[in-house]
Amino acid sequence: MSTTRIAVIGSGPRGMMVLERLAARLAEQPGPLDVRLFLVDAVEPGAGQVYRTDQPDWFLMNTVAGQCSAYSGEPDDGPTRAGAGPSFGQWWQAAGNYPGPDSYAPRGQYGRYLRSVLTEVERNLPPGVRLRSIKERVEEVTGTHGRYRIALSGGERLDVDRVVLTTGHSRNRLTGHEHDLAALTRRHPQLRYIQGESAADMPLHEIAPGSAVGVIGLGLSFYDVMAALTIGRGGRFTPAEDGTLVYHPSGHEPLIVAGSRSGMPLPARGRNQKPPRYSYRPLLFTPARVRAHHPDGPLDFRRHVFPWLMAEIELVYYATALHRSLGEESAARLTAQVELAAGQGVPQVAAVAERLGLRDVPPIDIDALARPFAHRTFTGPEDFERTLREEITRDLAHAAEGNADSPLKAALDVMRDTRWVIRDLVDFSGLTGRSQQEDFLGWYVPRASFLAAGPPKERLQQVLALLERGLLRIAGPHTRFETDPAQGRYVVHSPAVPGSAVPVTTLVDARIPDPDLRRDLSPLTAALRASGTWTPYVNDSGDTRYDTGGVAVTRSPFHPVDRDGGVDEGMYVLGIPTEHTRWFMQVGSSRPGMWSDFVHDADAIAAHALRPVTGTRAPRAHTPEPVGSGETPELVGSGTDKAGE
């Protein structure tokens, strides 16, 4: 009996779920077994970079603790093992100091949970299966005659039969305006440009107290940077009698000058009112309904997809408002009448709600919500800050109502809960090239990220407290971050806010880099790109050819497609590197006991990887017709920051 050797490169949540499913499937196989598993991670095997356990506790997740699990099944009467283990909330409760299922955990705490998963998976491997965890960087993967050789940074070489690449976020070569901003530091060494990546890996501690620091973006990473430069400098937030927060500075803080296109920090998530196993099932926005009206060829997102999504959002919005004002029966009548009307096309949900007696409820406008200061000008910074405070206060009021009771927050949750529908429709050239690039990635995704991926409400309260203390300034909409070579400085300002210009000596890019195979600086990615093993996925549907920058892979189980169109059936690529080939790959967990795409994808790879090894190269790839992904939700682990640009 020959030994089967499988390597998983990258041990964040994606890599850990693949390992968990490999172990669970091996436990179901009849013996004898002879399998060697390798888990390789350059930062921390079991936790990965984003969830490494040595990061400070002020870096928070944006999904409540009770809704996360890294096991593919719930606990049973047996030992904790692959396929049957506690959710994050259950584990945290057993470990102690658990603040409850609706709390937002430090990312390091989730990393400790992932490490516990690794421990239990290894402890309960079946006889004949061994696991080796390796803390080294993978510099190259080459395939020869049905086997792979993995070159590690320490000089060791591993020979394996299967390679699973779940390498996560990387850094990109700077281009365009970002390149120009960074280049100024070479002429003026007193300046500092900090490139976008996880805030826990940024040298924020080197920013001098009392200096002015510009922060590019107001998305999730902005809140991490804000916390590091305040709480991380010894400052404290305490509650006031009116429910707001008061900031007590340490004296070591810099002045934060932040901005983005919207000029609005990412809105807060609604207070959670949904149980861990909650699953939203859309009534209107389903793959079958969209394709029934447009069965032929690739879709146009604005014409074919978004109207149905918007109708689903409006249904939840008006049904929640009707339930609150006129009772449950009125909300049920709305749902029934809208479903009936959907047989003829996209229903006019607002008109039906009005006929049922709903009054004085403003329409829900995605553009206006995502760009609250668009087409407005202000007399100066004080005028803008007053308007900003009012907008944040309104958002906090909606968030306090909850994600089931607030019509607005309940409706915006639809954008999260139907991500699986969008993936089913848009992945693998489901849209035309032009529509994917312009309508979907250029228009919808930034708005959805802004409206449906926010932080806990405490972060917005902290923003208000820092504005009050004068340690945070938000420049305004359409913020510009410019160089001033003559003075040797950067300048942050908003063209909509006269007098908003502030000179700064440090710029922090608080946006997670968009994955792009062509600009990725990782040595492993560079080697795979140079060998032609990894190639960019090109959407050539319709009249416009769109080079996405995502790694070209087949459908499940996600084999890479090489420069000649061949399929490497012994290699699998999952997660962030395939973003834009597929959509929303930055998922860090599944709900307890529920098989979302996050679990299905990992299980499909595990099932294929455990098949007998027959070779590595298949015939030229083709793209099959789209298939459904199942009506189960998925959750964000770390989120992206396109919303905060």
Side-chain angles (χ1 to χ4, degrees):
M1 179 175 62
S2 61
T3 302
T4 300
R5 299 162 67 88
I6 302 171
V8 179
I9 300 174
S11 71
R14 289 275 189 185
M16 284 300 298
M17 183 52 73
V18 172
L19 178 68
E20 198 261 13
R21 289 311 305 157
L22 283 167
R25 282 186 168 271
L26 285 166
E28 295 171 353
Q29 292 190 2
L33 298 172
D34 188 4
V35 179
R36 300 293 178 268
L37 303 175
F38 301 91
L39 185 67
V40 188
D41 194 282
V43 177
E44 184 176 1
Q49 180 177 1
V50 172
Y51 296 102
R52 60 183 177 84
T53 58
D54 63 346
Q55 64 186 295
D57 284 348
W58 51 75
F59 296 127
L60 302 179
M61 300 176 70
N62 72 317
T63 300
V64 294
Q67 294 181 349
C68 300
S69 182
Y71 285 98
S72 58
E74 295 183 290
D76 56 20
D77 293 334
T80 296
R81 64 198 186 280
S87 69
F88 176 41
Q90 291 170 328
W91 171 87
W92 194 356
Q93 186 172 28
N97 298 316
Y98 181 46
D102 297 330
S103 60
Y104 291 84
R107 287 202 285 271
Q109 183 73 345
Y110 192 69
R112 286 181 276 277
Y113 167 63
L114 289 172
R115 289 293 302 268
S116 78
V117 174
L118 176 60
T119 297
E120 297 300 336
V121 165
E122 184 171 16
R123 178 180 295 154
N124 290 283
L125 287 171
V129 180
R130 284 185 281 176
L131 169 65
R132 179 185 169 197
S133 296
I134 303 171
K135 184 182 177 181
E136 286 195 45
R137 186 177 67 252
V138 174
E139 298 192 335
E140 190 176 28
V141 176
T142 54
T144 56
H145 306 296
R147 294 179 65 83
Y148 299 89
R149 173 156 289 182
I150 300 172
L152 300 178
S153 55
E156 184 180 0
R157 301 293 184 265
L158 299 176
D159 291 321
V160 299
D161 305 298
R162 306 287 199 220
V163 179
V164 185
L165 291 146
T166 57
T167 49
H169 287 286
S170 187
R171 300 182 72 185
N172 291 338
R173 173 175 48 85
L174 295 176
T175 59
H177 186 54
E178 286 74 21
H179 175 271
D180 294 341
L181 292 173
L184 188 63
T185 64
R186 292 195 290 271
R187 301 202 303 272
H188 299 279
Q190 76 277 16
L191 300 181
R192 187 80 181 265
Y193 177 83
I194 299 177
Q195 186 174 350
E197 60 181 325
S198 172
D201 297 311
M202 293 178 177
L204 299 175
H205 63 283
E206 297 177 3
I207 297 173
S211 66
V213 53
V215 179
I216 305 173
L218 293 170
L220 291 172
S221 286
F222 158 73
Y223 292 106
D224 288 341
V225 172
M226 182 186 79
L229 296 178
T230 54
I231 302 171
R233 297 293 180 96
R236 295 179 300 112
F237 292 95
T238 60
E241 292 183 0
D242 61 358
T244 62
L245 293 180
V246 175
Y247 183 67
H248 305 274
S250 66
H252 300 293
E253 299 89 348
L255 169 64
I256 302 171
V257 185
S260 68
R261 286 178 298 182
S262 72
M264 173 73 182
L266 214 61
R269 295 288 308 281
R271 175 177 58 87
N272 185 55
Q273 298 176 291
K274 299 173 182 178
R277 290 179 58 86
Y278 171 81
S279 177
Y280 177 78
R281 294 186 176 273
L283 179 70
L284 304 174
F285 185 49
T286 65
R289 197 183 293 276
V290 173
R291 291 199 180 98
H293 289 271
H294 307 282
D296 300 321
L299 300 168
D300 181 287
F301 185 80
R302 279 190 185 265
R303 291 194 295 123
H304 303 149
V305 180
F306 183 70
W308 287 102
L309 171 57
M310 194 64 215
E312 189 77 39
I313 292 170
E314 289 180 331
L315 176 59
V316 172
Y317 179 67
Y318 290 115
T320 306
L322 274 169
H323 186 278
R324 184 166 66 177
S325 60
L326 298 176
E328 183 176 350
E329 183 178 343
S330 293
R333 289 173 61 195
L334 173 70
T335 300
Q337 292 184 27
V338 165
E339 183 176 18
L340 182 63
Q344 306 303 314
V346 180
Q348 301 300 310
V349 183
V352 178
E354 187 175 357
R355 288 199 299 271
L356 290 171
L358 188 64
R359 300 288 185 270
D360 301 322
V361 176
I364 187 166
D365 185 331
I366 297 300
D367 268 323
L369 289 168
R371 301 290 184 264
F373 310 123
H375 314 300
R376 297 183 61 177
T377 56
F378 303 88
T379 59
E382 290 184 1
D383 183 27
F384 172 71
E385 184 171 312
R386 181 170 54 253
T387 306
L388 174 65
R389 288 170 177 272
E390 292 170 354
E391 192 68 33
I392 293 175
T393 301
R394 275 193 295 271
D395 180 67
L396 286 170
H398 288 297
E401 290 183 60
N403 59 6
D405 291 343
S406 163
L408 180 61
K409 294 299 183 181
L412 295 179
D413 259 13
V414 171
M415 302 173 91
R416 294 170 62 90
D417 294 333
T418 59
R419 285 181 185 136
W420 69 269
V421 180
I422 295 179
R423 278 200 298 272
D424 191 291
L425 295 170
V426 309
D427 287 359
F428 298 104
S429 302
L431 302 175
T432 67
R434 183 209 59 78
S435 189
Q436 181 184 6
Q437 183 176 18
E438 297 177 9
D439 301 334
F440 183 60
L441 296 175
W443 178 76
Y444 175 74
V445 169
R447 286 156 178 77
S449 299
F450 182 87
L451 296 172
K457 61 183 179 61
E458 288 77 14
R459 288 299 201 209
L460 274 296
Q461 292 176 315
Q462 291 172 358
V463 166
L464 290 177
L466 291 171
L467 288 170
E468 180 68 27
R469 186 60 69 176
L471 289 171
L472 170 64
R473 297 182 192 174
I474 295 178
H478 306 290
T479 307
R480 296 177 182 173
F481 299 85
E482 298 179 340
T483 61
D484 183 358
Q487 297 296 323
R489 62 187 185 181
Y490 300 109
V491 177
V492 182
H493 73 101
S494 166
V497 183
S500 60
V502 178
V504 301
T505 54
T506 299
L507 275 186
V508 177
D509 193 339
R511 301 169 299 177
I512 298 298
D514 222 14
D516 189 339
L517 174 62
R518 300 158 298 189
R519 297 190 295 124
D520 194 318
L521 294 173
S522 160
L524 173 59
T525 300
L528 291 167
R529 183 176 60 222
S531 68
T533 304
W534 279 12
T535 58
Y537 182 85
V538 177
N539 181 353
D540 54 10
S541 300
D543 298 331
T544 302
R545 187 175 187 272
Y546 174 45
D547 187 336
T548 68
V551 175
V553 293
T554 65
R555 291 183 180 273
S556 180
F558 316 112
H559 303 301
V561 180
D562 67 25
R563 64 161 62 112
D564 299 320
V567 176
D568 189 339
E569 292 193 338
M571 183 179 286
Y572 315 84
V573 189
L574 185 62
I576 296 294
T578 65
E579 184 70 25
H580 305 323
T581 306
R582 307 173 68 202
W583 179 60
F584 206 79
M585 292 292 96
Q586 57 273 12
V587 178
S589 68
S590 188
R591 293 184 190 248
M594 301 180 71
W595 273 48
S596 65
D597 289 349
F598 180 76
V599 182
H600 279 291
D601 290 353
D603 185 64
I605 290 174
H608 191 275
L610 291 172
R611 291 166 52 183
V613 177
T614 58
T616 64
R617 198 172 188 277
R620 186 176 180 84
H622 69 282
T623 302
E625 290 300 309
V627 295
S629 60
E631 293 188 334
T632 49
E634 85 299 314
L635 297 179
V636 183
S638 57
T640 62
D641 288 279
K642 292 187 77 66
E645 293 180 0

